[in-house]
Amino acid sequence: MRKYFLLGVAALLSASTANATEIYTVEAQAKVALSTKMSCSTLDWGTIYLSRMDVYDLHLKYYDSDIGNDKIIASGEDADAFANVIGFKPAICSTGGISLGNDGETVNMPSSIVLTGNKGGYATLINIHIGSSEEDTYIYGDISFTYGEGIQDNETFTGSFAITVIK
């Protein structure tokens, strides 16, 4: 009996040794930096006039030409429904001395965001990008309407997004 007891103890000791646990060390760190306050006006597509409301695929792109002849280019299956835009204004940003990418900064912002309509619809702001002059920094974005149920008259679309600039 003693023989079997000793064999059992030896088996338990060898089992414990075989299941040894290794310990790993993980380091963590965080860096804190002072941010510069930036404020931007609303990127406002103004009022988009359509010749009909049964629009399911319409994309509008704003072109700001050097000679001051701003224009909107419509594309998509329902481009023929586009009549005019009145009141388009890019977002104008007060950047606190940051040039938003012109001096080697890294600018992180979404390439698109969903705008929610006050009547239940939605649109997408796409191709969000930065433009600048000597005095101002502008944020532009194309707008895309791709609906299964069409656009409603007098529907207003809103949304927001964050920009991070790393120097």
Side-chain angles (χ1 to χ4, degrees), residues 15 34 55 58 70 85 90 95-96 105 122 134 136 140 145:
L34 182 64
V55 172
L58 174 63
D70 301 339
V85 169
T95 60
E105 297 92 357
Y122 65 91
E134 290 182 20
D136 295 310
Y140 296 93
F145 300 95

Side-chain angles (χ1 to χ4, degrees), residues 14-148:
S14 65
S16 297
T17 306
N19 291 329
T21 303
E22 292 186 35
I23 298 174
Y24 298 96
T25 302
V26 177
E27 294 183 20
Q29 71 180 30
K31 181 179 180 180
V32 177
L34 182 64
S35 69
T36 302
K37 183 78 172 165
M38 180 175 84
S39 61
C40 297
S41 64
T42 300
L43 191 165
D44 188 355
W45 261 91
T47 302
I48 301 168
Y49 291 93
L50 303 172
S51 61
R52 63 179 201 279
M53 296 314 315
D54 61 340
V55 172
Y56 303 97
D57 181 25
L58 174 63
H59 310 280
L60 301 177
K61 181 172 185 71
Y62 173 82
Y63 285 95
D64 182 13
S65 67
D66 294 334
I67 57 174
N69 296 327
D70 301 339
K71 61 181 179 175
I72 308 292
I73 302 297
S75 62
E77 290 182 23
D78 295 312
D80 63 325
F82 172 68
N84 199 2
V85 169
I86 295 179
F88 176 89
K89 293 180 214 139
I92 301 173
C93 299
S94 166
T95 60
I98 296 174
S99 63
L100 294 185
N102 292 337
D103 290 331
E105 297 92 357
T106 300
V107 179
N108 296 315
M109 64 182 168
S111 57
S112 65
I113 63 158
V114 174
L115 305 176
T116 305
N118 64 332
K119 295 186 178 183
Y122 65 91
T124 307
L125 191 64
I126 58 174
N127 301 324
I128 301 169
H129 60 280
I130 297 171
S132 63
S133 67
E134 290 182 20
E135 302 85 30
D136 295 310
T137 299
Y138 304 95
I139 307 290
Y140 296 93
D142 306 338
I143 196 163
S144 179
F145 300 95
T146 49
Y147 286 110

